[in-house]
Amino acid sequence: MGFFDRLKEGLGKTRAQISAIVKGGDLDEEFFETLEEALIAADVGVDLTDRIFDDFRIEIKKRGIHSRSGAYALLKEMLAEDLTVTKTMEDFPPKPWVIFVVGVNGVGKTTTIGKLAHEMRRLGKRVTLGAADTFRAGAIEQLKIWADRTESDFVAQHEGADAASVAFDAMEAAKKRGTDVLILDTAGRLHVKVNLMNELEKILRVIRRNTPHAPNEILLVVDATTGQNAMRQAEEFNKIVKLTGLVVTKLDGTAKGGIAIALTRRFNIPIRKIGVGEKIEDLQDFNPKAYVEAMLGDIEDVE
Ligand SMILES: Nc1nc2c(ncn2[C@@H]2O[C@H](COP(=O)(O)OP(=O)(O)OP(=O)(O)O)[C@@H](O)[C@H]2O)c(=O)[nH]1
Ligand SMILES: [Mg+2]
């Protein structure tokens, strides 16, 4: 089953309620409550849902909307807009285009890097992977496997080495080899672990001293199945490294897609990619409109 289908299925009960409610009647409290419950069930978060509905009601008045189907379409339009942060991933003009990948343990950083490398290689880009996760046993070998699979260059030192030093080596190697895209893996770190968070700052300092335009992207990877925890993670990482983009992984394992809305709305940074499985091709561009349709149903469903 595709991830959109799963998202749709997961929200099946809610969707049934929604199509029933959207079909007729006035814009009464029952109508608003059903939609609010749908968003909360999808993990958008209670506070944010409140704010979204404040805006929603204002916009309904402003546009003079009186029908439920009209209001429902408006809500989807507003949510898709929230999910759309216009800055796109540039076509890697400065060489190397450096992508720095961060996140807590096990969210899918290394796998996402493998998938990204695959995507870039298919675009004909020369890719280098830098193993700046020197902390976890086996992390270097894991990234090496992805480098081999994607025919990317690979830079590493040994387990326990200074991560900033690996990043420096990788920057130098990437420049020498004419790499288009350098992707740096980092150790999973809990946002509450001060030392590890400080290490990120150090790695960034070294990268920036080496090449002022780098890194071009600081991607936070979050696991969709952790729901609202992802908000806290984004909050803490953003304080230290000023994130430029998000990757939401494991969307194939959850029926709750609301976290994407909560994250983009709160941080106003784009979701660059979504992870929808463990395989190399299970990385997709994020399509806000299709995403909201999957969450809340197609307007065709109810008309
Ligand atoms: N179902 C599913 N599994 C995923 C996805 N992305 C990653 N995984 C799995 O999640 C697990 C952890 O992935 P890693 O890439 O090792 O995660 P990490 O963030 O690098 O982990 P650490 O380096 O230990 O912090 C692996 O079993 C991956 O196959 C996804 O989109 N969907
Ligand atoms: Mg990893």
Side-chain angles (χ1 to χ4, degrees), residues 109-110 133 136 139 142 185-186:
K109 293 179 293 300
T110 307
D133 178 359
R136 183 171 60 74
Q142 188 190 355
D185 194 14
T186 62

Side-chain angles (χ1 to χ4, degrees), residues 45-186:
V46 176
D47 291 347
L48 179 57
T49 299
D50 277 351
R51 266 180 284 142
I52 288 172
F53 272 74
D54 289 345
D55 295 349
F56 180 40
R57 285 169 194 260
I58 290 169
E59 200 62 26
I60 287 174
K61 280 226 181 71
K62 224 197 263 173
R63 301 201 194 183
I65 291 171
H66 297 291
S67 73
R68 287 185 176 186
S69 61
Y72 169 65
L74 170 65
L75 178 64
K76 291 199 293 182
E77 184 191 316
M78 289 174 70
L79 291 175
E81 205 172 291
D82 277 344
L83 286 168
T84 308
V85 184
T86 45
K87 192 174 169 282
T88 54
M89 219 158 173
E90 277 111 304
D91 195 20
F92 336 114
K95 269 191 185 185
W97 184 263
V98 181
I99 304 176
F100 189 60
V101 178
V102 301
V104 305
N105 304 72
V107 287
K109 293 179 293 300
T110 307
T111 308
T112 298
I113 290 168
K115 293 170 177 175
L116 266 177
H118 175 65
E119 192 182 300
M120 307 280 174
R121 294 287 298 130
R122 290 184 60 177
L123 291 170
K125 305 289 178 187
R126 179 145 193 187
V127 177
T128 297
L129 303 185
D133 178 359
T134 56
F135 186 70
R136 183 171 60 74
I140 298 171
E141 190 48 37
Q142 188 190 355
L143 190 69
K144 171 84 166 57
I145 292 168
W146 284 109
D148 290 344
R149 283 183 71 185
T150 57
E151 298 181 330
S152 299
D153 296 321
F154 182 65
V155 178
Q157 293 181 15
H158 53 88
E159 196 181 313
D162 178 21
S165 156
V166 176
F168 180 87
D169 283 359
M171 296 290 300
E172 287 297 303
K175 278 192 269 185
K176 266 196 210 105
R177 294 170 187 170
T179 290
D180 295 299
V181 186
L182 165 63
I183 314 177
L184 292 168
D185 194 14
T186 62

Side-chain angles (χ1 to χ4, degrees), residues 90-292:
E90 277 111 304
D91 195 20
F92 336 114
K95 269 191 185 185
W97 184 263
V98 181
I99 304 176
F100 189 60
V101 178
V102 301
V104 305
N105 304 72
V107 287
K109 293 179 293 300
T110 307
T111 308
T112 298
I113 290 168
K115 293 170 177 175
L116 266 177
H118 175 65
E119 192 182 300
M120 307 280 174
R121 294 287 298 130
R122 290 184 60 177
L123 291 170
K125 305 289 178 187
R126 179 145 193 187
V127 177
T128 297
L129 303 185
D133 178 359
T134 56
F135 186 70
R136 183 171 60 74
I140 298 171
E141 190 48 37
Q142 188 190 355
L143 190 69
K144 171 84 166 57
I145 292 168
W146 284 109
D148 290 344
R149 283 183 71 185
T150 57
E151 298 181 330
S152 299
D153 296 321
F154 182 65
V155 178
Q157 293 181 15
H158 53 88
E159 196 181 313
D162 178 21
S165 156
V166 176
F168 180 87
D169 283 359
M171 296 290 300
E172 287 297 303
K175 278 192 269 185
K176 266 196 210 105
R177 294 170 187 170
T179 290
D180 295 299
V181 186
L182 165 63
I183 314 177
L184 292 168
D185 194 14
T186 62
R189 62 200 75 219
L190 281 176
H191 48 82
V192 289
K193 290 272 162 73
V194 178
N195 288 346
L196 273 170
M197 290 304 274
N198 289 343
E199 187 191 67
L200 279 186
E201 278 185 303
K202 183 183 165 195
I203 303 172
L204 274 182
R205 268 202 308 278
V206 168
I207 294 173
R208 290 196 172 116
R209 219 181 298 137
N210 181 280
T211 305
H213 75 69
N216 308 81
E217 279 280 354
I218 302 179
L219 288 184
L220 177 75
V221 180
V222 296
D223 172 347
T225 64
T226 61
Q228 286 286 317
N229 274 334
M231 292 296 279
R232 186 69 206 287
Q233 293 162 19
E235 197 86 56
E236 297 301 323
F237 275 91
N238 196 40
K239 270 188 212 154
I240 307 276
V241 294
K242 204 78 194 78
L243 304 168
T244 66
L246 299 163
V247 176
V248 182
T249 61
K250 310 192 191 182
L251 275 166
D252 53 307
T254 177
K256 300 184 173 192
I259 192 62
I261 292 172
L263 284 166
T264 43
R265 174 134 171 165
R266 167 69 186 79
F267 297 99
N268 196 37
I269 44 179
I271 294 176
R272 295 296 193 200
K273 298 284 171 188
I274 54 177
V276 297
E278 295 189 273
K279 292 200 295 296
I280 196 162
E281 65 274 12
D282 290 333
L283 188 73
Q284 296 180 0
D285 286 336
F286 180 65
N287 178 335
K289 199 160 177 292
Y291 196 84
V292 173

